[in-house]
Amino acid sequence: MMLLDFQQTYAHVTFGLSIFSNSLLLSLLIFRRDKNLGSYKYLMFAFSFLGLFFSIVDFSNKPMVHIYGGAYLVFSLNSFGLPHFLANWFNALNCSCYGMTISLLAVHFIYRYLAVCRPNQMNWFMWPHTIVWFIFCSEISFEWWITAVLYAGETRVIDELVKDSMKTNYNLTKGEFIYAASLYYRTNEKGEKTISWPDVLFAVNIVKLITICMTIVLFCGIATFRKLRTLRHTSKRTTTLQQQLFKALVTQTVIPVLTMFLPAAVMMISPLFEVTLGSYEGLIMTVITTYPCVDPMVVIFFVRDFRHAIWQTIRCKRCLYSRETYSLRGTAVSFITEPN
């Protein structure tokens, strides 16, 4: 019960921090004169709105993890009192948010790659070509959601398996929580342990989607890094902003890997070896729910104009919502790479 209370309390804290940090970034994007960011501004809008949506879904579900007997459960208490099938669909939105986050991250790196390495192809981020990226992110997000609903739904076998452990660890009985789960091994009528292929396919699908997005990130990231080191025909200020935003993107890659995908990997791999984590299982969702409130602070920290605007506001020298631009050297620059 202490573990349950801690995770519920922590969900309130991270929700508040996420609303604050994402709203702060949105305010900077809306009220600062940042035409120099070009269409990249809209990608940052997308990330910020996703962070808000992610935190709202996470706060509404307050998902927790339980690993026992070769199975993992992502469960919640259905605080809205929704009908059972709707509550399970809503719980699966957490998976959808994970998929949207990693796909949008890949699109960010594609943008940086084109802006630095192939500026003549930047029309891919202008209307109507932008619909391609919307479809890409939406398809991956929906695929994560539908596979969670179809292949990770509740079953009687899992109900019986975790009944006693859920009562012991969380003082919860069937009907007091809903869950999405995977059980990699099942026992047939002969008492033989066999592989549960629907659960395996669910895991393979997740690995496939992560691999596609992370391959894009690595390819575009390495190519962009190499190009930035050899830029000679752009202004110093343009190169400076390119480097600032690239550092932000690298950090935005490391953070979700550490706070989302590594914990999720531990959650999914542990049942393969029938390993239980005890009280440490509470750290999985604790770490994952940290992501939406940390991510926007990365952009604010690395983009000097945003950082300076906040510092000036703190010192009461200028309103955060002022539309005046700063004449800081190396910040008020065109985001689109100058032609060679």
Side-chain angles (χ1 to χ4, degrees):
M1 284 298 293
M2 289 182 62
L3 183 60
L4 181 62
D5 292 339
F6 169 76
Q7 292 186 70
Q8 296 285 303
T9 302
Y10 190 79
H12 285 79
V13 173
T14 52
F15 174 72
L17 290 174
S18 178
I19 295 298
F20 170 76
S21 58
N22 281 286
S23 298
L24 179 60
L25 179 57
L26 284 173
S27 297
L28 289 166
L29 290 171
I30 293 171
F31 293 104
R32 300 301 306 155
R33 282 183 179 176
D34 46 15
K35 294 179 181 179
N36 303 310
L37 292 175
S39 54
Y40 188 69
K41 172 180 178 178
Y42 301 106
L43 277 176
M44 289 198 288
F45 264 120
F47 236 123
S48 231
F49 278 117
L50 176 60
L52 287 171
F53 180 72
F54 189 176
S55 60
I56 291 171
V57 169
D58 197 80
F59 179 73
S60 300
N61 280 322
K62 297 185 182 68
M64 292 158 281
V65 170
H66 182 52
I67 299 172
Y68 178 79
Y72 72 83
L73 286 76
V74 178
F75 70 94
S76 68
L77 303 182
N78 189 14
S79 55
F80 290 148
L82 298 173
H84 203 74
F85 76 98
L86 285 178
N88 279 307
W89 289 3
F90 191 65
N91 192 43
L93 279 178
N94 281 89
C95 291
S96 181
C97 287
Y98 300 153
M100 180 68 79
T101 298
I102 191 173
S103 59
L104 190 56
L105 186 67
V107 173
H108 273 238
F109 269 82
I110 292 172
Y111 184 100
R112 298 302 310 121
Y113 171 75
L114 295 181
V116 175
C117 303
R118 300 177 181 271
N120 60 320
Q121 296 183 18
M122 285 301 295
N123 61 311
W124 278 103
F125 283 88
M126 298 178 185
W127 184 261
H129 299 91
T130 49
I131 195 69
V132 171
W133 312 118
F134 175 79
I135 293 173
F136 172 71
C137 294
S138 298
E139 192 280 330
I140 289 182
S141 179
F142 177 76
E143 191 170 342
W144 277 52
W145 179 81
I146 197 66
T147 52
V149 170
L150 295 179
Y151 296 110
E154 299 182 12
T155 66
R156 292 182 180 179
V157 174
I158 296 178
D159 287 346
E160 288 298 319
L161 178 68
V162 302
K163 179 175 63 176
D164 294 335
S165 63
M166 287 296 291
K167 180 64 176 178
T168 301
N169 291 281
Y170 296 98
N171 196 30
L172 294 174
T173 58
K174 176 63 178 174
E176 294 181 325
F177 64 95
I178 50 97
Y179 65 84
S182 285
L183 177 60
Y184 295 120
Y185 308 104
R186 310 270 175 152
T187 303
N188 61 22
E189 296 176 354
K190 299 179 181 179
E192 299 172 336
K193 186 177 289 187
T194 60
I195 296 175
S196 175
W197 288 110
D199 296 288
V200 172
L201 289 174
F202 176 64
V204 168
N205 184 66
I206 290 178
V207 172
K208 178 200 73 176
L209 296 176
I210 292 176
T211 301
I212 290 172
C213 293
M214 292 310 293
T215 299
I216 293 173
V217 166
L218 289 174
F219 172 80
C220 294
I222 292 172
T224 303
F225 176 74
R226 288 177 175 174
K227 183 67 175 180
L228 284 172
R229 294 181 65 184
T230 59
L231 284 178
R232 293 292 182 272
H233 302 290
T234 59
S235 68
K236 181 179 179 181
R237 295 184 303 170
T238 298
T239 303
T240 298
L241 184 57
Q242 297 280 16
Q243 291 172 341
Q244 285 177 20
L245 292 167
F246 183 74
K247 288 177 182 177
L249 271 181
V250 170
T251 308
Q252 282 181 299
T253 304
V254 174
I255 288 175
V257 167
L258 294 179
T259 62
M260 291 180 64
F261 304 117
L262 184 59
V266 172
M267 178 186 70
M268 296 181 67
I269 292 174
S270 296
L272 283 173
F273 304 98
E274 298 185 335
V275 174
T276 56
L277 303 179
S279 59
Y280 291 108
E281 69 186 19
L283 294 175
I284 293 175
M285 277 302 167
T286 299
V287 173
I288 289 176
T289 55
T290 304
Y291 171 75
C293 60
V294 172
D295 184 71
M297 301 310 296
V298 173
V299 177
I300 294 172
F301 177 79
F302 279 103
V303 178
R304 195 180 306 168
D305 188 49
F306 290 170
R307 198 168 65 239
H308 188 75
I310 293 173
W311 179 239
Q312 290 285 61
T313 302
I314 292 173
R315 297 174 63 188
C316 300
K317 290 190 173 182
R318 194 183 304 271
C319 176
L320 178 66
Y321 303 132
S322 170
R323 291 185 177 272
E324 295 182 36
T325 55
Y326 296 114
S327 58
L328 288 179
R329 194 175 176 182
T331 57
V333 300
S334 175
F335 184 72
I336 305 302
T337 305
E338 297 170 2
N340 293 328

